[in-house]
Every structure is written in C-alpha cells, then in structure tokens.
Amino acid sequence: MAHKPLTTLPTLVVLISGSGSNLQAILKAIQTGRLQARIAAVISNRPDVYGLQRAAEAGIPTAVVDHTAFANRDGFDETLQQQIDSFKPDLVVLAGFMRILTPAFVRHYQGRMLNIHPSLLPLYKGIHTHRRVLEDGGDEHGVSVHFVTPELDGGPLIMQAKVPVLPSDSETSLAERVQVQEHVIYPQVVKWFVEGRLKLEGNQAMLDGNALTRPIQHLSGE
C-alpha cells in the first residue's frame, strides 16, 4: 500500500509548558506508523523547557510565546493564535500546557483543540490533582482527554484511563502511573480525530457518528 504523501497528512500544532512527555508519546505514534499525521510545530509559553529540545531533536519547528512578556491574557492569546495559525493546523493539541485560555481563543479552535488532564473529570479540575486525590483518601484516580471549551477542564469528555490509588502511593508514584496511561490514550484520541472518526457537534463529542454520553474507558490492566 502506498504511503500518503507528506503534504496531505493532517497537521498538528502541540502546545507545551514543560518536559513534553505527551508530545513524545504522540511523536512515537507517528514514527511507528500508528498515527498518520505530522507535527507542524511545537509552541511553548516557557523558554528552555525540555519539550522544546525533544521537538528540535525530531526536526520539528519550535516557537516560544512567553506569557511573562504580556500585560494580560488577551495579548498573549492573540499572539499565540497568530503563531498557531501560521502553521495552518488541523488540530491543536494541548500537552501539559499550563495556561488558562480566553474564551475568544477557545472559540477560534472550537472542535479542533484537545486537552489531557490528570484526573477522572469532572473530578479534580485544575492543578495538583494527584495531591488532592491522596488528601481525600480516594481509591481511584486517572486521566481524561477532552475537547477544549471555555469552561476550564469542562469540555466534552472523550476517553479516560483509571488507575488504583495504592496505600503506599506518594504524589510522585501516583503521577508516574497516571502518566503511563496518558501516553497510551492521548495518541489514540488524536488518531481518531485525524482519521475523521472523532468530531465535536455542538457540545457533544461524537465517535463514528455516535454520541459519547460517557467517556470511553481504556482498560489499563492494572
């Protein structure tokens, strides 16, 4: 079977704020042929993060839009949007991007922006999710992939993976086990999107034409 010409591959722009481990998982899926897409650019709001090095080593163009250089969120988002749009992506992938985005920015990418969040949404929106589940004595934790909407971590859910909270868990050990699952489910959801199987219709995630009334559960085997 002939390979799809590079120019016709769906394009991704990945936004990061740190080490880029989910970027690496998506890149690996592309390199192994599991994901038929190309990463047009990796953009960070922080300079000198390891994720930018990962991208550069893979030959992917990088850019930095430093949020500290802007007086307000609107100015940052406008500049970031210009950078993203210069690459004409089919999908914007938030991969550990630690900025709250303005409603106007989110609406611009409505239906073509995904986020991954380290909790079983709608539980534990926001930050410090591993610490909070441990403080609450929870026995289950995990990760969610969702479409991005103006509500923080509140967009339509697509897929989740659960991990047990062990009596011996620290914040670090729990985060590490959740991250293993992140690297499985995020490339899968991106694959569904670029294949045209996953869409956002109104405020409803649709997979293969069927409404996802609850997120698909990945069985992690744990």
Side-chain angles (χ1 to χ4, degrees), residues 9-25:
L9 287 175
T11 58
L12 316 176
V13 167
V14 182
L15 305 188
I16 64 170
S17 296
S19 70
S21 69
N22 276 300
L23 162 66
Q24 188 67 46

Side-chain angles (χ1 to χ4, degrees), residues 116-203:
I116 190 162
H117 181 75
S119 81
L120 297 174
L121 291 172
L123 300 175
Y124 302 108
K125 296 179 181 181
I127 61 175
H128 305 310
T129 61
H130 312 303
R131 180 188 310 168
R132 288 156 62 198
V133 75
L134 289 171
E135 288 174 349
D136 287 350
D139 59 6
E140 191 174 62
H141 192 36
V143 57
S144 307
V145 178
H146 63 95
F147 280 107
V148 179
T149 63
E151 181 189 352
L152 177 65
D153 298 329
L157 293 169
I158 303 160
M159 193 175 196
Q160 291 181 328
K162 297 177 180 178
V163 300
V165 179
L166 306 177
S168 59
D169 265 327
S170 65
E171 199 174 333
T172 299
S173 65
L174 183 56
E176 287 173 350
R177 290 210 319 287
V178 169
Q179 195 171 70
V180 169
Q181 300 307 320
E182 291 179 19
H183 299 165
V184 174
I185 71 170
Y186 213 4
Q188 178 61 61
V189 173
V190 172
K191 177 179 168 70
W192 286 336
F193 186 92
V194 301
E195 290 176 347
R197 297 175 58 192
L198 174 67
K199 299 180 185 298
L200 182 67
E201 295 184 3
N203 200 43

